[in-house]
Amino acid sequence: MLVAVITILLHNLALAVLTGVIISALVFAWESAKRIRARKYLDEQGIKHYEIYGPLFFGSVTAFNEKFDVLNDPGEVIIDFKESRVADMSGIEALNKLTERYKKVNKKLHLRHLSEDCKLLLKNAAELIEVNVLEDPHYKVVVDRVSGK
């Protein structure tokens, strides 16, 4: 609708399409930012887990930071990115600031289930940030072998 209105008013289809693409991208970023969620629980060792759902990027950093209760969390915290991914440098910076907040109150923060892309982004930013990444477990698959003689 917007593209049609701009085309009629300005008589420039290329500018109207470009404006439509930009507005669509901004709406997508806004909608994606609202989708970041965290499921929180304490395990039997007293470690608090935050399972993150949704992408961590420039549009969701504020909502991401609001999920954590640094002062009231136990001494060890794990953030699980199994259902999420760090998409850009804003997400990495958010992790850095969160790490610093936990460090100031002498608490350990671990990251788990990062995708290979996320690990690469964190490795590339190693001089800028300090993040403790837990090694993900390696799951073995049971194979049903039949001995053939």
Side-chain angles (χ1 to χ4, degrees), residues 30-117:
W30 179 260
E31 290 298 318
S32 294
K34 293 190 295 187
R35 290 188 194 141
I36 194 160
R37 299 179 323 276
R39 180 177 158 247
K40 308 164 194 174
Y41 65 92
L42 281 173
D43 67 11
E44 53 277 349
Q45 288 90 23
I47 299 172
K48 187 161 187 182
H49 293 254
Y50 288 89
E51 293 178 348
I52 305 300
Y53 298 89
L56 177 58
F57 70 111
F58 70 91
S60 62
V61 166
T62 303
F64 174 77
N65 285 325
E66 292 171 354
K67 307 284 183 217
F68 300 93
D69 187 6
V70 177
L71 295 177
N72 295 319
D73 279 347
E76 195 164 353
V77 175
I78 295 175
I79 303 175
D80 192 336
F81 284 91
K82 189 173 184 176
E83 300 294 329
S84 180
R85 67 182 315 149
V86 180
D88 62 10
M89 289 304 290
S90 298
I92 290 176
E93 182 60 26
L95 290 175
N96 181 38
K97 287 181 180 178
L98 187 61
T99 302
E100 289 173 1
R101 287 172 50 203
Y102 277 100
K103 195 175 197 178
K104 282 182 184 177
V105 293
N106 296 319
K107 296 180 182 183
K108 287 191 177 187
L109 178 65
H110 306 283
L111 304 178
R112 181 176 280 164
H113 293 122
L114 289 171
S115 70
E116 291 304 318
D117 295 340

